[in-house]
Amino acid sequence: MKTIATLFLLTFLPLAAFSQDFSKSLAEAKTSYTSGDLSSSRFAMEQMLRSLDAEIGKEILKMLPVKMEDRSPNLKEDDVTGGGSGMGMGLFVHRSYGPASNQVTVDIINNSPLINSLQAVLALPFIGNSGDGSQKVVKVQGYKAVLNKVEGMEGTPSGYELQIPLQNTLLTLTADNAKEDSILKMANSLPLDKIAQMAH
């Protein structure tokens, strides 16, 4: 019985804390708006959106694969940040898998400034596909993406970086010491539709 109570607390306390912060910011926004203090109202709403983005980020982390090929996640390095609307960018999610010498990273950024330039590259395939094969346009789960070969440091193998625009969100998958078919297989293990829906 003690174990069940502890599990209940560990599961629902963070949710309760988020709910309190969200409700507090909402109340502050309403009070400030009613009193005509629009600047404070806006600030409280940005705090509220920041908290919401952070919670969405935590839910996205839960959806990511348990492993990337043979690499386990570095859960202590997980990073979730909510930027709020006032900072231009909103949600930021980061997870890495495997040791530093052979790492795979997943970065998800909402309202990334790179989205527009990537969309331009994807719209003109002759720009997106380099003659030497170091950059090409590929499709992952129906989404167009830019795949870049990344040369390793002196004496280390090359890897790949895959940038996938999901509406207004950019997902970047980077794999050290990887082959093209390997990074594409990893990309196909990501729940892209669900991420796009939650991060939008």
Side-chain angles (χ1 to χ4, degrees):
M1 187 68 180
K2 207 174 195 180
T3 309
I4 293 171
T6 305
L7 186 61
F8 180 82
L9 284 172
L10 289 174
T11 304
F12 292 103
L13 271 180
L15 191 59
F18 163 71
S19 181
Q20 287 174 350
D21 288 347
F22 189 87
S23 297
K24 183 181 171 192
S25 294
L26 182 60
E28 285 175 12
K30 283 181 179 177
T31 303
S32 298
Y33 182 81
T34 304
S35 68
D37 186 355
L38 300 182
S39 177
S40 294
S41 179
R42 181 179 184 171
F43 179 75
M45 289 181 78
E46 285 173 358
Q47 293 295 106
M48 192 171 64
L49 289 172
R50 190 172 290 121
S51 298
L52 190 58
D53 279 341
E55 287 304 307
I56 289 169
K58 289 174 189 172
E59 291 302 311
I60 289 173
L61 281 174
K62 291 178 190 174
M63 295 189 300
L64 295 181
V66 177
K67 279 192 168 190
M68 282 289 190
E69 292 188 326
D70 60 345
R71 301 166 178 96
S72 297
N74 303 311
L75 298 178
K76 289 183 179 177
E77 295 175 15
D78 280 355
D79 189 10
V80 173
T81 308
S85 62
M87 296 179 69
M89 290 191 303
L91 173 70
F92 171 76
V93 178
H94 169 83
R95 172 166 284 168
S96 66
Y97 295 80
S101 58
N102 188 28
Q103 202 160 81
V104 172
T105 60
V106 179
D107 291 307
I108 299 162
I109 303 174
N110 185 261
N111 296 327
S112 168
L114 293 174
I115 287 281
N116 289 338
S117 55
L118 265 174
Q119 295 289 17
V121 168
L122 292 171
L124 302 167
F126 63 89
I127 294 176
N129 294 304
S130 64
D132 61 0
S134 62
Q135 178 178 294
K136 63 164 85 171
V137 174
V138 296
K139 264 198 171 181
V140 180
Q141 299 176 41
Y143 293 94
K144 281 186 179 180
V146 176
L147 180 66
N148 291 297
K149 189 171 187 177
V150 180
E151 292 302 327
M153 303 290 269
E154 195 174 323
T156 61
S158 58
Y160 281 92
E161 177 186 71
L162 182 67
Q163 295 176 302
I164 312 171
L166 306 169
Q167 298 167 18
N168 66 332
T169 301
L170 177 63
L171 186 147
T172 303
L173 178 66
T174 308
D176 297 332
N177 189 19
K179 294 183 176 167
E180 182 178 326
D181 60 343
S182 177
I183 192 168
L184 291 175
K185 185 179 174 186
M186 288 186 262
N188 276 302
S189 74
L190 297 168
L192 297 183
D193 284 340
K194 287 182 181 177
I195 291 170
Q197 189 177 15
M198 287 199 76
H200 180 62

